Amino acid sequence: MNNDEKILEIKNLKVYFDTEEGTVKALENVNLFLKRSEILGVIGETGSGKSVTAYTITRLLPQPPGRILNGKVLFNGEDLLQKSEDEMLNIRGRQISMIFQEPMTALNPVFTVQEQMTDVISHHEKISKKQAIPKAIRALELVKIPDPELVMKKYPHELSGGMRQRVMIALALSCEPELLIADEPTTALDVTVQAQILALILEMRERLGLSVILITHNFGIVAEICDSVAVMYAGNIVEFSSIFNVFENPLHPYTDGLLKAIPPLDEDVENLNVIPGVVPNLISPPSGCRFHPRCYRKLDVCEKEIPELIELSPGHFVACHNPLGGGSK
Ligand SMILES: Nc1ncnc2c1ncn2[C@@H]1O[C@H](COP(=O)(O)OP(=O)(O)OP(=O)(O)O)[C@@H](O)[C@H]1O
Ligand SMILES: [Mg+2]
């Protein structure tokens, strides 16, 4: 594939956390890429490393306790891990925006929507806060907030959860980033609002050519709006391909288990007990393939050797010693 089609490429990323209990091996070897104007779903159970990946891309990872031991995060071909904090300040918001799991943590409770939005826009566009007001209103209109002038005067706690999430998306999109990283943007919302927010992300992709990384527990959401999907398990990408390949022809037993458990849109994968066992402790993870204690296709080699992520068929990557057949092997 032509390299400049890739807006983002993560190579061999390894991130550990130093804690009192020991070293948490949070990301062991993460590899993935995102093509321009595509929506990539990152899916996996709780603790698999989805948020740590997002925080590493945006360089918001707390260091310490976090430690980046290895890897590259190439954004438009440039390694973000080599950028200075000043350079990152410019990139965040202007080129890469992030929506966080819980909007209240990202919105400041003591400032109105107007103060927060004009603050961000004036900083990034180097205009006055007054000049930023119409731009803020336009951003709120874009995310279909009714009566944006009124909402501008509100404090975050005066808005509903769905409205707060829209404000956060408006804030994230107000500087027209190239890449949006949305970390579980709909988890806290009811199903109707969830569907509206997803429709909004799709629309932004159409209108702004936005590239999106959408982190979720929910394969139903991935099926609905993503072009490709990266399946994470205990700090590794175990499978990565187009939605079509992964749904029609899953190669990793973990992906297979998740697919057999596709829940309705309002439930989380982690609530289903289809895959036996629990996610491992990442201070002393299982040897070899970290999934082997839960795997129904386990071979002897799985306990001993770490499987590498390989391209088993064109564009279809899997890290498994005994992948499912599906005719592609
Ligand atoms: N600041 C930290 N200090 C120590 N360990 C951390 C820290 N942040 C994350 N971790 C660990 O890194 C691992 C990956 O966490 P991460 O938050 O990325 O999971 P996640 O896939 O986003 O899960 P969830 O679906 O629950 O949001 C977990 O074992 C977690 O405990
Ligand atoms: Mg998370």
Side-chain angles (χ1 to χ4, degrees):
M1 186 178 53
N2 187 347
N3 236 349
D4 53 25
E5 276 182 26
K6 296 178 188 171
I7 182 167
L8 186 83
E9 181 165 23
I10 300 180
K11 288 187 171 175
N12 306 326
L13 187 62
K14 189 191 283 255
V15 176
Y16 288 1
F17 289 95
D18 297 310
T19 70
E20 279 182 15
E21 293 74 34
T23 303
V24 179
K25 300 176 177 103
L27 300 187
E28 195 56 49
N29 193 11
V30 169
N31 288 280
L32 57 78
F33 59 81
L34 170 65
K35 293 190 213 163
R36 198 171 294 281
S37 298
E38 282 202 345
I39 303 181
L40 166 71
V42 177
I43 188 159
E45 283 163 296
T46 187
S48 56
K50 305 180 299 293
S51 295
V52 171
T53 303
Y55 283 106
T56 308
I57 296 169
T58 50
R59 290 267 306 275
L60 294 171
L61 184 81
Q63 287 179 277
R67 228 176 346 124
I68 301 171
L69 288 90
N70 191 32
K72 288 192 166 102
V73 175
L74 301 173
F75 176 66
N76 288 325
E78 290 186 31
D79 189 0
L80 296 181
L81 302 185
Q82 303 301 326
K83 300 276 177 200
S84 68
E85 193 40 49
D86 274 355
E87 288 171 313
M88 279 315 293
L89 270 176
N90 268 322
I91 289 169
R92 275 195 298 267
R94 199 173 288 169
Q95 289 172 283
I96 303 177
S97 274
M98 184 158 166
I99 301 175
F100 298 87
Q101 219 152 336
E102 167 43 53
M104 278 313 266
T105 58
L107 296 171
N108 193 326
V110 301
F111 293 110
T112 62
V113 171
Q114 174 162 327
E115 285 163 328
Q116 301 190 50
M117 292 203 62
T118 54
D119 191 48
V120 169
I121 296 170
S122 65
H123 172 80
H124 277 290
E125 302 205 2
K126 311 222 178 323
I127 53 178
S128 71
K129 291 196 177 176
K130 204 167 164 205
Q131 288 170 315
I133 291 175
K135 285 178 182 272
I137 291 175
R138 231 170 298 141
L140 294 177
E141 280 168 352
L142 201 65
V143 296
K144 304 200 167 56
I145 286 184
D147 210 346
E149 282 88 355
L150 184 73
V151 169
M152 290 270 273
K153 306 280 178 256
K154 304 258 189 202
Y155 290 89
H157 71 265
E158 297 178 290
L159 302 170
S160 69
M163 218 39 114
R164 275 202 292 269
Q165 196 60 286
R166 277 167 202 259
V167 169
M168 198 158 68
I169 295 175
L171 205 56
L173 295 179
S174 59
C175 300
E176 301 192 0
E178 291 173 54
L179 171 64
L180 175 72
I181 301 175
D183 191 356
E184 313 249 13
T186 60
T187 310
L189 306 174
D190 71 54
V191 199
T192 330
V193 184
Q194 202 170 343
Q196 288 168 354
I197 298 288
L198 295 176
L200 191 64
I201 290 176
L202 268 179
E203 193 184 323
M204 293 306 125
R205 189 263 296 272
E206 300 307 322
R207 282 170 68 163
L208 309 173
L210 193 66
S211 311
V212 182
I213 295 180
L214 180 71
I215 295 173
T216 177
H217 282 105
N218 192 320
F219 239 133
I221 288 179
V222 169
E224 203 136 308
I225 76 163
C226 296
D227 302 294
S228 54
V229 57
V231 182
M232 286 196 85
Y233 185 78
N236 291 295
I237 303 289
V238 296
E239 184 157 2
F240 172 50
S241 196
S242 66
I243 285 296
F244 181 82
N245 280 345
V246 172
F247 276 78
E248 291 299 313
N249 184 23
L251 297 176
H252 200 286
Y254 179 62
T255 314
D256 189 44
L258 288 182
L259 284 171
K260 289 195 172 123
I262 288 189
L265 214 53
D266 57 346
E267 278 178 40
D268 284 345
V269 169
E270 64 176 345
N271 293 337
L272 295 165
N273 283 324
V274 175
I275 303 171
V278 291
V279 288
N281 172 348
L282 296 182
I283 292 177
S284 48
S287 59
C289 171
R290 289 183 175 185
F291 186 59
H292 85 255
R294 300 175 71 187
C295 186
Y296 66 92
R297 293 176 62 85
K298 178 176 77 116
L299 305 173
D300 286 347
V301 64
C302 304
E303 288 180 36
K304 298 182 192 113
E305 285 176 29
I306 298 173
E308 274 185 46
L309 189 71
I310 55 162
E311 193 169 6
L312 202 59
S313 60
H316 198 160
F317 299 82
V318 67
C320 179
H321 294 301
N322 188 21
L324 281 85
S328 74
K329 209 182 166 184

